[in-house]
Each structure stands twice: as structure tokens, then as C-alpha cells.
Amino acid sequence: MDLRISRKLGTKLLFVPAAGALPAKKGRRFVVVNVGIIGCGSITKFRHAPEYSSNKDANIAGFFDPQKERSLEMVQMYGGKAYESIEEMLTDKSVDAVSVCTANRFHASITIEALKAGKHVLCEKPMATSVEDAEKMIDAARESGKSLMVGHNQRLTDAHVKAKKILESGELGRIISFRTTFSHGGPESWSADKSSKTWFFNKKDAVMGSMGDLGIHKADLIRWLIGDEIVEVIASVLTLDKKGPQGELIEVDDNALCILRSKTGITGMLTVSWTNYGVEDNSTILYCSEGVMKIYGNPEFPLEIIWKNGEKAFYKIGSIQTNENQTKSGIIDLFIDSLVKGIPPAISGEDGLASLKIIFACMKSSAQGSSIRIDYPFI
Ligand SMILES: NC(=O)c1ccc[n+]([C@@H]2O[C@H](COP(=O)([O-])OP(=O)(O)OC[C@H]3O[C@@H](n4cnc5c(N)ncnc54)[C@H](O)[C@@H]3O)[C@@H](O)[C@H]2O)c1
């Protein structure tokens, strides 16, 4: 008898007889989480679709994109169906969870709709385009009892995981300050549109530029690495060079220089740029009382420690994904694992909100020319 695992996620998993023909993959006996993917651009093509496809506990139910040729391409590669609308996907009772992989503007409304329809959601970053919308998403998750996870995958890279372990061990003493940066030549060569017409440059759809694309990653990473919340920022968020289709400067930021201070006083610099036309930089340095930790500064050794006494340690561990070199992010496995085990998602809506607050505080600081304090109801 063919068997499948009960979809009663969050409760004890039961083996029950298969109900009809499941869209099982070749050689697979059990289907745990049936997933729909909304938005079929680059992040779906390079990450969500292949990573769900290779997860033994997930099955891709189908895809939706308003540009149907994009969902059809995904269906051809990974199976499932090309839904005609988001509504069709969300009313499909066989769908347990969805990935929201659209332009930023649609993240909140689609996520809330999906949660209300009883689906678990993995939403790409930035989780929303306003703090209020992010709060509504968290409320919708709470009210529906479904999971909301945000795609802050930087936490999952080998060097960041190792760095966190070392920092938590206390070997490096107290964290004093940091410098974290994310820069590359811009999203126009990455986005499915492959031109300066990309939504990433359009204020209405993106709301934030390099800060929403890159800064949000580093805001989440720093909060997680230092184990503390950022409570004050002062920043310059700028549009310096990136041009739109008519040769005019784009409507959103392409660079930002931000000073962040945490609740316990750890102070550092977060910088982002879409105008680094050389080699992508995704590096972080933590200056601690017993030495310095450098992450992704040296391609040969992704993690280096220089101790106060001059001794050095070099770790030859996995490199980070770049736009040109996509490797498995692990975010999908983490999402599916939390659903299968019925545990809260490792990177919560509250995490997404805290990072978003840092980005909006930096934008406000830049506009007002003053430092901005950040309040969190949960610290
Ligand atoms: N976690 C990461 O490292 C990472 C990396 C890149 C992008 N992202 C995020 O993923 C999201 C998508 O980015 P991308 O690079 O795939 O962009 P993209 O331009 O390549 O693709 C976006 C897709 O969304 C579709 N879309 C737009 N509005 C939609 C709607 N209302 N419903 C369904 N589909 C819709 C578009 O047709 C397009 O196919 C963005 O929010 C971005 O910030 C995350």
C-alpha cells in the first residue's frame, strides 16, 4: 500500500493511506508538504524551485506568475501545474504552504491572503514595504495559527554559522564594534527582466533600493550575529549613479552608509551598494575584546580570526552565494523542516520586522539628517 504522511502539520505525524493520486516525484513514497510558488523570477528559478525539488519532504504543487511563460517554464522543469491566479492556488486544498517570491510591493498582501487561506508562508525579503504591513503579516500568522518565515538566508551560510558558534562560545570576548557590507553591480543583470526596466528600480514596486535588496540581509545578519537589537541609527541613503531606462537616476537608493548602535552599545557600520562594478563584496568584520573575526573577506579562507596576541586561525569553509554563482541556500530545507517537525520557523516574522525597522529608520535618518531611535515591543 502506498502511504503518505498526514498533513496535520504541528501535530504528531501519522502515516495514513494515500488519498488519490498525489503529484509525487519519481521514486518518492511520501509527500509531506505540498508547496505553491508565487512569482517565477530569478529567486524562484535559482533557489525556491530547485531547493523544494531536492527536498525529500516537499512536493511542488505548482507555480503562479502573471507572466505565464515564466510559470510554464518552471512547470516544465519541476512539475506541478501553472495556476491561472493566486486565488486558484490559495483555494487549492492540496496546497499546504506557499513561497512568496514577487516584487516587494506584493509580499504583504499575498502573504496575508495566503495565511488567511490556511497556508504556511515563506516570504522573501524584505518581508514588506512598510512596518505596518509587516505587523499585519505577523498578526495574520498569529490569528491563522500558520507559520510565517522570512527568507533571510545569510544566517545559513557555513562561515556565518561557524562565526555565530565562535561568538557564542565567548572565546573572542565581548563584541565591541562591526563593519558589514554587501555590494555588487546591481540587480538589473539578475532580475528576470534583465534590464534597467526591472521593478527593482521602480519606487512603486520596490519602495527600497539597495537597502531593501542588500541592506536588509545585513541588518538581519548583524542582529543575529551580535544577539542584540539595533536601537539607534544614523545614515546616508543615496542615489549616486544607477540609471533607469531613459538614462535618468533611478527612483530608489543605490548606496547607503549607516551607523548602527545596539541596545548593549555595540556600534558598527553597515554599507550597501549597487554600484560596485568590480567583485561582489559580502564581508563582515567583528571587532571583539579578544580579537577580530573576518568573514568572507578572503576567498581562500571565508572565516579568519586574528587573536589579540597576534595568533591567527583560518577556516576553509563553504563560500557564499553570489549572483553569478548560486549554491544551495538552505532556506527551503529550514522552512520545510519546521513544518514537518511542527516547530516555529527559525527566521520569524518578528525577525523580518526588526530588520525592516532598521532599514526604514536608516531611510528616515537620511531624509531628516538626524539619528533615529527604534522601538521594539518585543525587547
Ligand atoms: N533571499 C535572497 O537572497 C534574495 C535574492 C534575490 C531576490 N530576493 C527577493 O525575491 C523577490 C523576487 O525577486 P527576483 O529576484 O526573483 O525578481 P525577478 O524580477 O527576477 O522576478 C519577480 C517575479 O515576480 C513576478 N510578479 C510580480 N508581481 C507579481 C504578483 N503580484 N504575483 C505573482 N508574481 C508577480 C514577476 O512577473 C517576476 O516574474 C524580491 O522581493 C527580492 O527582494 C531575495
Side-chain angles (χ1 to χ4, degrees):
M1 179 175 59
D2 194 15
L3 296 172
R4 63 182 290 231
I5 294 176
S6 158
R7 282 220 186 81
K8 282 194 149 195
L9 298 169
T11 59
K12 199 174 160 201
L13 292 173
L14 300 168
F15 286 90
V16 295
L22 281 160
K25 285 195 281 193
K26 249 190 220 160
R28 176 180 297 168
R29 285 177 61 78
F30 306 116
V31 175
V32 178
V33 186
N34 219 20
V35 184
I37 302 181
I38 302 173
C40 299
S42 294
I43 199 64
T44 290
K45 194 172 188 172
F46 295 116
R47 205 164 289 166
H48 289 248
E51 293 191 24
Y52 279 122
S53 178
S54 67
N55 184 299
K56 68 177 175 36
D57 294 323
N59 180 71
I60 298 179
F63 299 86
F64 170 72
D65 195 291
Q67 300 201 42
K68 196 163 180 192
E69 68 282 4
R70 293 186 182 169
S71 48
L72 286 172
E73 187 191 342
M74 290 297 100
V75 166
Q76 207 168 24
M77 289 175 75
Y78 297 102
K81 67 185 269 191
Y83 289 91
E84 292 300 327
S85 65
I86 294 175
E87 195 192 355
E88 190 198 359
M89 184 188 285
L90 297 184
T91 50
D92 181 342
K93 286 192 170 44
S94 78
V95 173
D96 302 304
V98 297
S99 263
V100 178
C101 300
T102 65
N104 300 345
R105 177 158 74 100
F106 307 101
H107 288 184
S109 57
I110 296 173
T111 296
I112 292 169
E113 219 183 309
L115 288 164
K116 284 186 175 165
K119 315 299 183 196
H120 302 284
V121 178
L122 170 59
C123 180
E124 264 307 338
K125 45 54 55 176
M127 71 184 284
T129 50
S130 73
V131 165
E132 294 70 28
D133 277 355
E135 287 169 345
K136 285 182 197 157
M137 292 160 80
I138 293 169
D139 288 346
R142 202 173 292 130
E143 282 159 20
S144 66
K146 298 294 166 185
S147 273
L148 168 60
M149 181 160 144
V150 184
H152 285 300
N153 50 284
Q154 287 241 336
R155 296 182 186 200
L156 310 181
T157 72
D158 292 347
H160 289 151
V161 169
K162 181 75 182 166
K164 173 81 174 162
K165 275 199 187 123
I166 294 170
L167 292 170
E168 278 182 343
S169 76
E171 297 171 61
L172 271 168
R174 185 172 59 86
I175 304 169
I176 301 166
S177 65
F178 61 84
R179 210 177 74 195
T180 189
T181 195
F182 198 169
S183 67
H184 57 47
E188 64 273 41
S189 56
W190 154 272
S191 164
D193 293 331
K194 297 277 176 288
S195 81
S196 58
K197 288 187 184 149
T198 172
W199 66 268
F200 278 97
F201 289 172
N202 161 345
K203 181 123 187 127
K204 190 169 160 225
D205 288 338
V207 177
M208 301 146 268
S210 55
M211 282 296 267
D213 186 28
L214 311 177
I216 193 94
H217 271 306
K218 291 304 180 187
D220 178 72
L221 179 72
I222 277 299
R223 292 178 55 247
W224 178 72
L225 281 178
I226 69 175
D228 198 3
E229 294 297 349
I230 300 301
V231 294
E232 191 172 13
V233 305
I234 184 155
S236 278
V237 180
L238 309 155
T239 310
L240 297 175
D241 183 64
K242 197 55 89 180
K243 309 286 189 319
Q246 314 303 329
E248 74 293 1
L249 275 180
I250 57 170
E251 299 170 338
V252 291
D253 53 277
D254 63 14
N255 278 271
L257 307 150
C258 317
I259 297 171
L260 316 182
R261 187 174 61 78
S262 81
K263 194 173 172 222
T264 62
I266 302 167
T267 304
M269 188 84 179
L270 179 157
T271 61
V272 294
S273 177
W274 273 347
T275 61
N276 167 4
Y277 302 123
V279 177
E280 184 165 328
D281 185 354
N282 212 328
S283 62
T284 297
I285 305 178
L286 292 130
Y287 299 93
C288 305
S289 56
E290 298 305 315
V292 176
M293 175 184 270
K294 295 186 174 184
I295 314 168
Y296 297 124
N298 174 346
E300 203 183 339
F301 298 105
L303 184 63
E304 299 169 84
I305 295 179
I306 300 105
W307 298 94
K308 210 173 180 176
N309 66 5
E311 281 176 23
K312 291 180 182 170
F314 298 96
Y315 297 85
K316 209 175 175 86
I317 45 183
S319 59
I320 197 162
Q321 304 90 15
T322 64
N323 277 359
E324 287 73 35
N325 179 25
Q326 286 296 315
T327 52
K328 187 173 183 176
S329 75
I331 200 83
I332 284 13
D333 287 353
L334 199 61
F335 177 56
I336 293 295
D337 189 55
S338 72
L339 296 182
V340 169
K341 290 182 177 152
I343 56 175
I347 307 167
S348 66
E350 282 81 358
D351 283 314
L353 171 62
S355 303
L356 200 63
K357 282 190 174 192
I358 297 169
I359 299 307
F360 281 118
C362 289
M363 291 168 73
K364 190 171 172 187
S365 163
S366 184
Q368 292 187 356
S370 60
S371 67
I372 299 291
R373 289 192 61 82
I374 308 174
D375 297 318
Y376 301 94
F378 45 86
I379 59 166

